[in-house]
Each structure stands twice: as structure tokens, then as C-alpha cells.
Amino acid sequence: MNEFARERGDDLREFAEELLRFDTTQRNEAPAQAYVRERLDELGFETYEWTADAEELAAHSSFPDDPDAISVADRPSVGGVLEMGDPDAGHTLVLNGHVDVVPVARESWSSDPFDPTWRGDGDEETLTARGAADMKCGLAACVFAAKHLEASTDESLDGRIVVESVVGEEAGGIGAASAALSNPYPFDRDAAIIAEPTDLRPVTASEGSLMKRLRLTGRSAHAATRWRGVDVLPYFEEIRRAFAALETERGERVTHPLYEDFPVPWPVVVGRVEAGSWASSVPAELTAELRIGVAPGETVAEVEETFDQRLAELVAEDEWLTDHPPEFERFSVQFEASEIDADEPVVGAVQRAMAANGLDDADSRGATYGADARWYNEAGIPTVMFGPGSIEQAHFPDETIPWAEVLTAGEVLSDAAAEFLR
């Protein structure tokens, strides 16, 4: 058992358990955030709270243009600050986690997703609950990593540690975006570590995503005389095949050294399809929603132009589509890809802390998901992701995390913070 586990393990366990009991699905985060702020106050943090400005977010290209389409009311984010030595003489490091979780299909779970369940013991002990991996345990580790550093540091260490519990990450990063666009603190931030579930490995690049909605128009007819109609489904299948081919082309053409091991580096997924209005009628309308991967080094707009052009080529080859052009518009929140240089000081701090705790697999990695790191990187705050648990457990039934990884993450985060502030 490491020093962090001996000194902080019980408090970390209690905090994580309590936080996991809150249902923090979208727009339900406020009670949990009140608990987080209360606990941070009790632990001696100076606390801050902010709520995103929908108009400010709507002015950013990643969000919908209509402020009314962005849910911000009663969704506070919370920050807690600990100061060491002369805080203005040193650096400021943010340890960030999101408190929101995705919805659950309770019938797929073997236990109540908001009643934390412990299994096993010792190094084999696991914790199961919605948000265990993504990412309330990582957030809890941040809190007690900061406290551990405060208690163990000598007076020669100057600077600040900020622990953030933000909302709306699963819906595009509302809390982090707001903190990046309008600093809620009276001091600058020099770097950040986000405790996403990275299998205790440093992630310096994260994929972006373009969200597009496709609408096709055909002509309805009775099923008994279907030849009189224009069925939208064959057109949809043709477009889907064209986009799948483009996915393959992009996987070969758009390369990145951190994504060479992924079988599909820039995935295209049709996540939702709705067509037709009656079982005995030719379907005359179809709506499909797509998530299209964006590589680090690309922009959402560049990838959008590529897919728009491929669709335009199909339309130009067909008389019906030319006369009844598909609608292909953005919806929801767009995720820009994000990457920082592996030589950034905060990355080195994490890698040295990993080595000190026996974690040898410290090479920088890329992730095929989007995260709040992009907001801080865009704001000039170099951000690396490092945390306990696996992304394979995120959004999954019986979401589970090995507790030993949480304790290790706490020790590494505390050591990394010390390394960065030196």
C-alpha cells in the first residue's frame, strides 16, 4: 500500500461512494455540485462557482448558434483552490474532472447504477456504479491528491492547485468551455491534468467529432403500388456506403503517429436513423444522425467540407437527388480535435510521477474520443489526460473500476503536481 493509500484512502473511498450516489445525468448535476463544494470547503479549499453563459457559448463555433438550445440553467461548476508557499511566485496547476454522467438502461445492470457496489478485496477490489470509471473516481482522486500534496510539501514549494468539478462534459463541455472562455479565478492557469479513464497512461491527443444530421425526401405511395413512389432507403444506403468508403480512404490518407494502432482511426458512425410514417407506405422521408471523427491537426470545418463534397458528388449523379437535394446540417455540439506537444512540462511531470510509482508505460498516446482537454488547450492552457479506469467501461452497463487504480492515480497526480510546481 502506497503512502497516499494509507493516508487518504479512507477519505477518498467515502467521498467517491457519496458522489456516485448522485444521479448526475444531464441537467441533474446541481445537488452533487453542492455536495462537492461543501466537502471542498470542509477540506480547506477556497471555493469558486460558475454557471456558463449560453450567449457566450453560442458565439463559439462548436456550439449551436441559438443560446436557447444550450442548457446552462442550474448547472454550476465548482473549483477549489489550495495555495502553497508564495502562490504568485509559482505555477498554477488545474486537476479537472467532470461530474456529469450519461443515462443508464437499468435493465442492463446487475445492480442499482446509483448504489455503489464493491466486489473483491485487496488489489482485486472493484467499484461498480454509473460514473465509477467516467469519471467520478478520477475526480475524487484529484481532490485528495491535492490535499496529499498540501500536507506533505515543504515550504520551498510555491504555487496553486485547483481542483475542478465541471458539468456538461458529456454534452460538449459546458462547464469547462465556460472556464476556458472566461476565467472564473483571479489568477492565471499554467497547465491542467484531466483525470479521464486512460488506464493510467498519459494521453496528449484526443480526436474531434463532427455531428451532422442528414434528411432525405422521397415520394410516398401505397405498398401495393410501390413503383409509383420514390423510396428513400436505397438512397440512404448509397450515401452510407459512400461515407464508409470515405472513412476507409481517410484512414489511409490522414495519418498520425499516436493513432497507428487503431483499426479505424477516424470512425464514421450513423448512430440514429428514422424513416417512413406507415408500414404499408413507401418511406418518403428519412432522418439520420452521424458522428464523424476528426483527426488531431484537422478542423471540424475541413472534415465537414470533405463529407459535404462526397455527398454533392452523389447528388450530381442522380436526377431525383438533384431535384430534391438532401439536407446535411450540423446539430448538437462539435468537438474540435486536441493535441499538445509531448515535451510540455505538464506531460513530463506526469511521466516522472509515473516512473516514481512503478508505471513504466509512460509514452504519450492518442484517444479516439473527445474530452474537455480541447477547451483548455484552445485557451493556451496545456492539458494532458491521465486517470484511473478504462474508456471501455465508460457508458457501459455495470460500469466498473479497479480500486487499486484509483489509489495509484491519486499518488501519481499528487507527485505530478509536486513535479510541476517545482
Side-chain angles (χ1 to χ4, degrees), residues 181-196:
L181 294 170
S182 296
N183 186 356
Y185 311 107
F187 49 79
D188 293 330
R189 298 151 293 175
D190 297 300
I193 303 172
I194 298 183
E196 286 279 2

Side-chain angles (χ1 to χ4, degrees), residues 16-71:
E17 269 194 354
E18 189 61 30
L19 192 57
L20 287 164
R21 295 185 194 281
F22 288 95
D23 177 350
T24 53
T25 48
Q26 189 171 200
R27 294 186 292 276
N28 294 317
E29 304 101 336
Q33 292 293 69
Y35 167 74
V36 170
R37 183 168 190 178
E38 178 182 357
R39 291 291 286 125
L40 290 176
D41 283 331
E42 293 171 354
L43 290 166
F45 288 80
E46 181 180 3
T47 57
Y48 296 80
E49 185 173 304
W50 66 94
T51 299
D53 181 337
E55 292 190 1
E56 180 180 50
L57 298 183
H60 193 282
S61 61
S62 290
F63 284 94
D65 294 336
D66 181 5
D68 291 337
I70 306 172
S71 174

Side-chain angles (χ1 to χ4, degrees), residues 133-134 196-199 367-370 388-396:
D134 187 19
E196 286 279 2
T198 67
D199 293 304
T368 54
Y369 54 84
S390 170
I391 193 63
E392 293 182 358
Q393 286 291 318
H395 306 190
F396 203 70

Side-chain angles (χ1 to χ4, degrees), residues 255-334:
T255 60
H256 190 291
L258 298 183
Y259 289 81
E260 292 174 351
D261 293 336
F262 289 102
V264 183
W266 328 121
V268 178
V269 173
V270 181
R272 181 177 174 272
V273 180
E274 183 176 349
S277 59
W278 192 251
S280 60
S281 296
V282 172
E285 65 282 323
L286 180 143
T287 300
E289 294 177 348
L290 295 84
R291 185 268 195 195
I292 299 168
V294 178
E298 296 183 307
T299 67
V300 165
E302 290 168 347
V303 175
E304 182 176 36
E305 183 178 358
T306 299
F307 280 82
D308 285 352
Q309 180 60 38
R310 184 59 55 93
L311 179 59
E313 292 169 2
L314 294 178
V315 170
E317 295 172 356
D318 185 271
E319 183 179 354
W320 179 267
L321 291 181
T322 299
D323 292 340
H324 305 82
E327 296 179 17
F328 196 38
E329 305 293 340
R330 293 187 184 191
F331 79 102
S332 187
V333 178
Q334 314 304 315

